[in-house]
Amino acid sequence: RKEERIPFDIDILNKITKGGLPRKSMTVLLATTGGGKSLLKCHMAANHLMYGKNVLYITMEMAEEEIGRRIDANIMDITMDEVNEIPRDVYEKRLSRYKTKTTGKLVIKEYPTGSVHSGHFRHLLNELEMKKNFKPDVVYVDYLNIMGSARIKGLGGSVNTYSLIKAIAEELRGLAVEHDVPI
């Protein structure tokens, strides 16, 4: 059976992933601090949104508004400085023009660092589907290392980092399978 994938607009990422993000999977971006992980996720979220995909962006690092500005800048193909300098009426007019070109919807949800685990995301996904009739085609999580685990409590010094991060990754992958969505 051929696996359905959500392609990227970056050829090398499609090559590496054999055509994009497969459903029921978790893909991890690795880079150093300041290496552009959030920048790339915002670019990919904007791209998937413009291709008519519903996007859920969960952040524990940056404010919802900052993620929104980055995604808007990608959609409008302008710099972050231009986003901040453009008059509000021009900004809203340009964005509404782009909204008419896509059927994709965007939800950005911010949580405090270290305060959430996959169970919170499960609740969010269920609530969005029930209350807003929103089912994401792709979920971005920014980022795994500042989450908690639903199974392991990491605050006693008795759990090593590898075991904690492994548990978090397994829980997120389970959520991807449960909701038939790439994370």
Side-chain angles (χ1 to χ4, degrees):
R1 137 181 117 84
K2 187 167 165 88
E3 217 173 17
E4 180 188 344
R5 293 178 176 265
I6 299 176
F8 299 102
D9 67 332
I10 301 171
D11 291 336
I12 189 69
L13 292 179
N14 285 323
K15 185 176 181 180
I16 291 167
T17 60
K18 295 183 174 90
L21 299 171
R23 294 197 169 280
K24 300 181 182 182
S25 70
M26 184 182 74
T27 303
V28 178
L29 295 171
L30 298 173
T32 60
T33 301
K37 297 177 295 292
S38 297
L39 182 87
L40 181 60
K41 281 184 267 192
C42 287
H43 171 81
M44 293 185 310
N47 177 257
H48 288 137
L49 190 60
M50 292 311 294
Y51 279 104
K53 302 297 182 190
N54 288 337
V55 176
L56 172 61
Y57 197 110
I58 300 171
T59 178
M60 292 154 283
E61 183 179 37
M62 276 187 248
E64 290 175 7
E65 297 79 14
E66 181 62 19
I67 297 298
R69 276 192 290 278
R70 287 182 177 205
I71 291 172
D72 289 351
N74 274 282
I75 288 171
M76 293 188 283
D77 196 25
I78 59 176
T79 67
M80 288 299 293
D81 288 338
E82 290 172 309
V83 167
N84 293 330
E85 293 169 4
I86 193 169
R88 186 177 181 94
D89 60 325
V90 175
Y91 178 85
E92 288 174 356
K93 189 182 292 184
R94 287 176 85 177
L95 251 179
S96 66
R97 195 174 333 128
Y98 286 102
K99 284 181 184 177
T100 63
K101 295 180 181 183
T102 183
T103 57
K105 303 282 184 240
L106 172 66
V107 172
I108 303 169
K109 179 64 177 166
E110 176 186 2
Y111 291 100
T113 300
S115 69
V116 294
H117 54 69
S118 61
H120 295 97
F121 299 165
R122 178 175 289 105
H123 176 74
L124 174 64
L125 286 164
N126 291 334
E127 188 175 45
L128 287 171
E129 190 168 1
M130 280 185 344
K131 293 182 178 176
K132 297 194 178 203
N133 199 28
F134 177 86
K135 184 168 176 18
D137 295 302
V138 62
V139 176
Y140 290 95
V141 176
D142 198 1
Y143 62 94
L144 185 135
N145 286 23
I146 57 176
M147 286 179 59
S149 168
R151 299 177 295 172
I152 298 175
K153 301 300 171 219
L155 297 174
S158 61
V159 177
N160 67 49
T161 306
Y162 174 80
S163 297
L164 182 61
I165 300 303
K166 180 178 181 289
I168 294 167
E170 289 170 348
E171 293 163 19
L172 282 177
R173 169 61 170 63
L175 191 63
V177 170
E178 183 181 328
H179 285 271
D180 190 31
V181 64
I183 294 179

